[in-house]
Amino acid sequence: MDIFGHANTSYSNVFFDLNNMIYENKHIEFTIIGLDEFGKSIPSTLFFLSKYGLLGKNIKFIKSNEIKKEWKKCNIWITDDEKIIKLCPPNKKAIKFNTFYNSHFTHTEEINSLTKINKSWLTYLEKNTT
């Protein structure tokens, strides 16, 4: 999802779908990651997430050079970022969230809506989802 302070959501019910996924899968630790956000973009992102009522309790901000380290902490990463997908280790799963600005590349696992997440993906090794 686009997560800057005044950006639009990727689709109209994305936060309903995200909160529903978090609520229905309490046994899974979900983490929202902001990538390469600096200065005032961090409070703007937190404002955006609160404005739309995010129920998740794990929010993290990392730099691009920390992506490999973060992959060690999770099994599935849902992202629109090609760099994160390319750095996916062979024993992990990257799911591309399609947007108008990332149509220049494809991936084997792609979704347009969080409701399209396959239940088997959520139980993939039963660890963290980012």
Side-chain angles (χ1 to χ4, degrees):
M1 74 183 81
D2 301 321
I3 61 171
F4 287 101
H6 295 289
N8 292 325
T9 57
S10 297
Y11 62 92
S12 62
N13 289 329
V14 67
F15 275 93
F16 175 80
D17 294 343
L18 178 60
N19 286 335
N20 194 42
M21 185 170 56
I22 292 169
Y23 182 79
E24 289 180 354
N25 297 282
K26 293 180 179 109
H27 62 289
I28 298 174
E29 184 179 328
F30 291 88
T31 302
I32 304 295
I33 292 186
L35 186 63
D36 292 330
E37 296 191 39
F38 303 100
K40 292 187 177 186
S41 70
I42 293 173
S44 295
T45 297
L46 293 172
F47 171 74
F48 176 84
L49 295 173
S50 69
K51 177 173 77 170
Y52 285 99
L54 174 71
L55 297 179
K57 47 188 171 179
N58 298 317
I59 302 167
K60 194 174 194 178
F61 298 95
I62 66 168
K63 295 182 173 92
S64 287
N65 63 357
E66 299 172 313
I67 293 171
K68 285 184 181 180
K69 183 177 86 174
E70 290 302 313
W71 264 118
K72 293 178 183 176
K73 299 175 185 177
C74 72
N75 289 318
I76 299 174
W77 199 323
I78 303 164
T79 183
D80 61 1
D81 193 298
E82 185 175 17
K83 184 186 305 183
I84 293 169
I85 292 171
K86 284 183 176 180
L87 292 172
C88 178
N91 62 332
K92 309 285 180 142
K93 185 178 291 286
I95 301 169
K96 178 188 172 198
F97 190 92
N98 291 319
T99 65
F100 68 91
Y101 53 81
N102 71 0
S103 60
H104 63 279
F105 75 98
T106 60
H107 184 60
T108 55
E109 307 284 356
E110 295 188 10
I111 59 172
N112 298 316
S113 162
L114 294 177
T115 59
K116 302 299 182 196
I117 291 176
N118 186 324
K119 291 290 183 188
S120 66
W121 294 345
L122 290 177
T123 57
Y124 184 75
L125 300 179
E126 290 291 327
K127 269 184 131 179
N128 300 343
T129 299
T130 301

